[in-house]
Amino acid sequence: MGSGSTEAAGASSVRAVEALDSVVIRFVGDSGDGMQLTGSEFSKAVAKAGHGFATHPDYPSEIRAPTGTLFGVSGYQIQYGSRQVFTSGDAPDALVAMNPAALKTNLADVKHGGIIIANTGAFADTNLAKAGYASNPLEDGSLDGYRLFKIDISALTAAALRDSGLSKKEVGRCKNYFALGLMLCLYGRPIEDEIADVYEKFAKKPEFADANANALRAGYAYADAAEIFAATYQVREAAARPGVYRSITGNHAAALGFVAASESSGVGLFLGSYPITPATDILHELSALKHFNVTTYQAEDEIAGICSTIGAAYGGALGLTTTSGPGMALKTEAMGLAVMLELPLVIVNVQRGGPSTGLPTKIEQSDLLQAIYGRNGECPIPVIAARSPADCFDCAIEAFRIAVKYMTPVILLTDGGIANAAEPWRIPDVASLPKVEVSYRTDPEGFQPYARDENLARAWVRPGTPGMEHRVGGLEKDFLSGNISHDPLNHQRMVDVRAAKVAGTAQDIPPTTVEGPASGELLVIGWGSTYGTIAQAREKAEAEGRSVAHVHLRHLNPLPPDLGELLGRYKTVLVPELNMGQLSKLLRERYLRDVVPLNKVQGKPFKVSEVHDRILELS
């Protein structure tokens, strides 16, 4: 488990304490077992201790799958350690399995010799049958290669809450807090802060607050007293850059970034959105921030969501709409309208598995070509992508900065892997944030609606500005007046200038950062949420003496101006993507350079080992 040594505990205890550099823990159970809450609360506990960490929530697409079934399993994995943590980990050191289905669907991932804590109370014949077990794996020797701890979490929770006054069903819902308390003790974390969080979370229902707090205490006390545990585990302290940190998910970070852009510009933020997994939390987060001049509108459908945003942008607000892949398909025509009107707005696509409804709760990066090309006509839009939960904050500001400077819609790509995952975020100094500068034209002298500045951006004029009335719509515009024009040469000119404007946003892209050697045998190039996996795989390969570099792209349309020259410095270029090779196609098309794709579409992120093994084969 992790790496480290076994040390004697204090004189008052006979139990050893094993010191670790890092550990990977996965909580799994039925979709009603509260595993997402358990995992997120455990993450908060290690965050407060100052550890680097990364998480991966994994939950079923069904709102409530049949209890005990394989496709109803929900999980939450966290890796935390004494150094920077790039991913949630390849394989769990410890698995908490609340029922047979959870064990069966996750056992193959657990490290050989790893810990399995199984809730024996759920391993009844009916649940074993639902999971496809012919015999009880806790008794038939099939788990002999692991450190198995059989604990009746269900019964122990019921015993702890027998005087709570809650129903049997309500008591059963508290067993996740028993599991949380057990794991907090086993991994050397105090529970005082967690108990305070419980009472805050359930402040309006004190009977549930008391029950969950007591379940938490009971789990902690059991782990502390039970003789079955020969050791507890302590991850070494991390040396963090000084500052104020918080745990943050990608969706929350994006919401805060959009508010920061609004505050920086002095312009109100409008979100028009239709709920869709896994993007909906941005709507939830922003609806709670209305005191920052934020207006949220839950539209009746995806088309209404973006059309309301276009209206808000026309009215002078920072217009924002959020969605996932299927919603992007529905918004396509309105995106073309925004391009024709040349209005600043941001479209967030929190990608998920497709096509169609696909895998709504699973990770994929398969909407890149849709973002760049997926509209009728010649309809260019700048596209950027966030690489981690915390990076969503910076990308949100960057998206609006481009939008208002160049008067264009901008697409921001995240995905389900970083939208719901959490990591530490160092809260930035507000004065250090990039400025989002907004200027409305108010002088009617010589005004032409489509006259352009040095960035090829037309003026932003709020409706009702005296003497500056102008026409908007989806039909092609005259080059200056904005009147409807069917002139062939005017259309050519407008198509050219819109393309030139988007291409011109490349002047703001900073020099590309290369991690590793500036030239050599192998360059690994990625985008989006593969960053952590590639970074860790590269570091591991470098430590083994391999010459390998890593470039991670934020700007995908246009691509960085120096990228072509950079690609030429390396003998081989490897492109890992959670799709069938979409960035690979773009690089081949743009630079006439062959690349080696590494593709995965399983609804799961890359393992570090998968990228590392391919690096070794190529370097």
Side-chain angles (χ1 to χ4, degrees), residues 63 142 406:
I63 293 174
S142 60
Y406 293 92

Side-chain angles (χ1 to χ4, degrees), residues 537-546 548:
R538 189 204 72 80
E539 282 193 356
K540 184 177 180 182
E542 186 178 58
E544 295 166 346
R546 304 301 177 104
V548 55

